[in-house]
Amino acid sequence: MKKPILSLTLAATLAIGAVSVQAAVKQEPAAKAAQHFHDPFEKKILKAISAENIYENIDYLSKVPRVAGTESEAKAVQFIKEEFESYGYKADVQPFTFYGYTPPSSISLSVDGYEGEWKPQAFTYSVSGNVSGELVLAGLGKKDELSSLDLSGKIALIERGEISFAEKVLNAAEKGAAGVIIYNNAEGALSGTLGEHNDKFVPSAALSKAEGEALLSQIGKTVSLSIVGAETGEKTSHNVIAVKKTTGKKSAANDIIVLGAHHDSVAGAPGANDDASGTAMTLELARVLKNVPADTEIRFVTFGAEEVGLLGSEHYVSTLSDDEISRTVANFNLDMVGSRDAGDLVMLTLDGKPNLVTDLAQKSSEKLNGEPTPYGQGGRSDHVPFAEARIPAALFIHSPSEPWYHTPEDSIDKISKEKLQDTAEIVGTAIYDRARMDQIGPKPKKAPKFKAPDELKTEENIK
Ligand code: BES
Ligand code: ZN
């Protein structure tokens, strides 16, 4: 794949921007910046946006992880719906199903006559089960190594390397193994995935190199492995949608703007920044824009199951009629918009080119901060299905990302109210700029049809 090279000028803009944007914010507080905005509603919007409100909602949402399809996602969905309703919107919950894996609630390993404790990790997609049998050394678990072994009803101890975890488990299962333990070939714990569900899997656990080597001295003993609560099956996640209709009669421009963020998080991470921050900012902008006159419909959407593969936004876009798709002029995607430990605000578009969203936000950021927010290329979030439907779309994110991304450390104490305020002002005034009652907003240029190659969905490149 051809990767855009970071142009020197943009690299410099990004680096310099980091300093000057912050300096501009300090020297030019919102009240002063507001003098560049002449429409009284712009001033009202700027005055009304409260980082404190956003922060409080992030705090509420990020008490626990919000994994798609779980009870905690459903609780977050209920909270978001009630918040929208408290601002005067009618909020719709849009359910959709997907096939997914629930990690085990507990996993344990014991060796007969051995006092010490083991700390096994489950492989993602390992099946549940309570198995015990003789521990047999099974090398790297390759087919030729196993051909002469009797694994029937036994537990295979296999070293990491050369072939995939799934192949090791399937090879051992084919030889009748009741369970599989794979240990690391490098220092440290091992946590891996079997890639996808397979009915032929047997309970499988991972051990660190040190623990695996300790287990080598237990070959021939009886080992018990118990994995409880893991299951793969159909799950339900939800999008939450609140719509601000156009003001006045049907003579309005008939266009639609979608402002969105994903409310789900990965397992084990409270997801304060990823993406309670975008969710809470979407709520705050819905609150602030509620009674502002607009000739453009604004839809506020929080998506479920983004972390499972952009499923909520894919589902949402798939429910739009051709007419709605052609009327949707912009998608603003807020994902990771408040980390104190990340870099400056950037906008990422799927094809790396500017579009109506980046144009509007560059105009508003220039007015607010004296610097246009830079744009680059990136996928990996809910703007992708919009861009693939040829809707101008951009991800708002701080770059480089914070080290807490997808960790238990992605918590409220790392959230910066300044970053929240700055981003919400840029996005709020950019949306208003297009939605205001002028009915002559620039018609968006439809991007040529562009299907993201897989690399683009997982890479972030600042052009
Ligand atoms: N917020 C991230 C995306 C992200 C992180 C973009 C850092 C740019 C820099 C998002 O929630 C995420 O984790 N996405 C997945 C991809 C998705 C298709 C499952 C990812 O990037 O691994
Ligand atoms: Zn995210």
Side-chain angles (χ1 to χ4, degrees):
M1 186 201 83
K2 210 169 123 209
K3 280 193 193 166
I5 298 160
L6 184 72
S7 89
L8 275 182
T9 36
L10 183 63
T13 317
L14 284 170
I16 297 161
V19 180
S20 54
V21 169
Q22 277 168 9
V25 170
K26 276 192 195 112
Q27 291 156 11
E28 196 164 357
K32 214 174 153 206
Q35 74 196 16
H36 300 298
F37 293 93
H38 305 298
D39 183 321
F41 286 104
E42 282 176 326
K43 293 186 207 265
K44 279 196 178 161
I45 290 166
L46 288 173
K47 240 184 113 183
I49 292 171
S50 158
E52 198 61 50
N53 285 348
I54 305 175
Y55 187 89
E56 276 172 23
N57 282 341
I58 297 173
D59 191 25
Y60 179 86
L61 286 164
S62 62
K63 299 272 187 250
V64 289
R66 302 170 301 283
V67 176
T70 65
E71 197 48 46
S72 66
E73 188 215 354
K75 253 189 83 189
V77 162
Q78 193 55 28
F79 171 76
I80 294 160
K81 180 175 188 283
E82 284 168 13
E83 279 294 298
F84 278 134
E85 286 167 349
S86 76
Y87 313 147
Y89 291 94
K90 179 182 163 301
D92 286 324
V93 172
Q94 180 182 59
F96 57 93
T97 57
F98 67 101
Y99 202 67
Y101 179 72
T102 305
S105 49
S106 75
I107 168 165
S108 63
L109 176 70
S110 62
V111 180
D112 269 8
Y114 185 92
E115 292 297 302
E117 236 193 75
W118 307 93
K119 291 200 192 72
Q121 306 267 328
F123 283 99
T124 303
Y125 294 109
S126 165
V127 292
S128 288
N130 210 333
V131 292
S132 70
E134 183 193 330
L135 186 66
V136 178
L137 189 57
L140 290 166
K142 295 193 288 187
K143 273 197 165 151
D144 55 344
E145 290 171 288
L146 304 188
S147 61
S148 58
L149 291 180
D150 173 17
L151 289 181
S152 258
K154 300 181 179 170
I155 309 290
L157 179 60
I158 298 175
E159 189 183 2
R160 180 185 189 180
E162 290 193 33
I163 59 173
S164 71
F165 300 129
E167 286 172 293
K168 291 173 196 272
V169 172
L170 289 174
N171 290 347
E174 199 178 66
K175 294 289 293 175
V180 173
I181 299 166
I182 300 174
Y183 65 99
N184 210 346
N185 58 1
E187 289 314 319
L190 174 58
S191 79
T193 176
L194 303 180
E196 60 183 355
H197 176 78
N198 188 320
D199 281 338
K200 298 198 177 99
F201 286 154
V202 291
S204 341
L207 284 183
S208 67
K209 182 167 190 260
E211 285 197 300
E213 285 169 358
L215 204 53
L216 288 175
S217 64
Q218 306 295 315
I219 294 296
K221 298 257 182 71
T222 299
V223 164
S224 302
L225 173 64
S226 164
I227 300 182
V228 180
E231 53 119 11
T232 306
E234 192 170 87
K235 309 199 180 304
T236 303
S237 178
H238 310 83
N239 297 327
V240 191
I241 306 165
V243 177
K244 172 180 161 57
K245 294 274 181 210
T246 54
T247 311
K249 295 258 159 51
K250 255 233 145 101
S251 61
N254 221 13
D255 293 339
I256 302 167
I257 292 174
V258 179
L259 167 64
H262 70 91
H263 58 242
D264 66 314
S265 75
V266 296
N273 198 42
D274 187 11
D275 184 28
S277 66
T279 299
M281 195 174 289
T282 300
L283 286 172
E284 177 64 357
L285 291 175
R287 186 188 73 79
V288 164
L289 293 169
K290 175 72 180 63
N291 296 316
V292 167
D295 63 18
T296 302
E297 181 173 315
I298 308 175
R299 298 186 182 178
F300 303 93
V301 187
T302 74
F303 300 107
E306 187 268 358
E307 300 286 8
V308 193
L310 317 181
L311 301 186
S313 48
E314 265 170 18
H315 178 74
Y316 176 76
V317 172
S318 79
T319 64
L320 299 177
S321 65
D322 288 349
D323 178 56
E324 284 176 297
I325 290 192
S326 63
R327 287 193 290 126
T328 306
V329 296
N331 166 237
F332 291 76
N333 175 28
L334 307 175
D335 192 359
M336 303 171 72
V337 286
S339 178
R340 140 199 115 177
D341 303 310
D344 285 325
L345 186 65
V346 296
M347 298 178 285
L348 303 177
T349 62
L350 187 56
D351 60 7
K353 296 185 183 138
N355 58 33
L356 179 66
V357 179
T358 58
D359 288 351
L360 289 167
Q362 287 206 321
K363 195 171 145 203
S364 65
S365 54
E366 177 126 41
K367 286 209 246 173
L368 283 160
N369 297 331
E371 295 264 354
T373 302
Y375 65 84
Q377 184 179 57
R380 301 176 59 178
S381 187
D382 290 319
H383 57 303
V384 172
F386 288 88
E388 285 178 347
R390 301 171 66 198
I391 294 167
L395 161 65
F396 290 75
I397 190 166
H398 293 102
S399 181
S401 306
E402 63 278 14
W404 326 122
Y405 167 61
H406 283 186
T407 74
E409 263 58 68
D410 180 8
S411 46
I412 185 72
D413 50 309
K414 322 289 192 316
I415 295 294
S416 150
K417 290 183 191 164
E418 286 72 29
K419 279 210 168 91
L420 293 174
Q421 187 73 31
D422 184 51
T423 309
E425 288 182 4
I426 290 169
V427 174
T429 50
I431 289 176
Y432 177 68
D433 194 11
R434 182 61 180 73
R436 79 172 90 220
M437 296 292 288
D438 53 10
Q439 303 202 22
I440 48 159
K443 280 275 166 234
K445 282 196 206 87
K446 287 278 171 191
K449 187 136 185 66
F450 183 78
K451 175 93 183 135
D454 283 345
E455 312 89 275
L456 269 192
K457 294 190 181 173
T458 51
E459 280 182 16
E460 179 199 3
N461 302 300
I462 304 288
K463 205 176 77 177

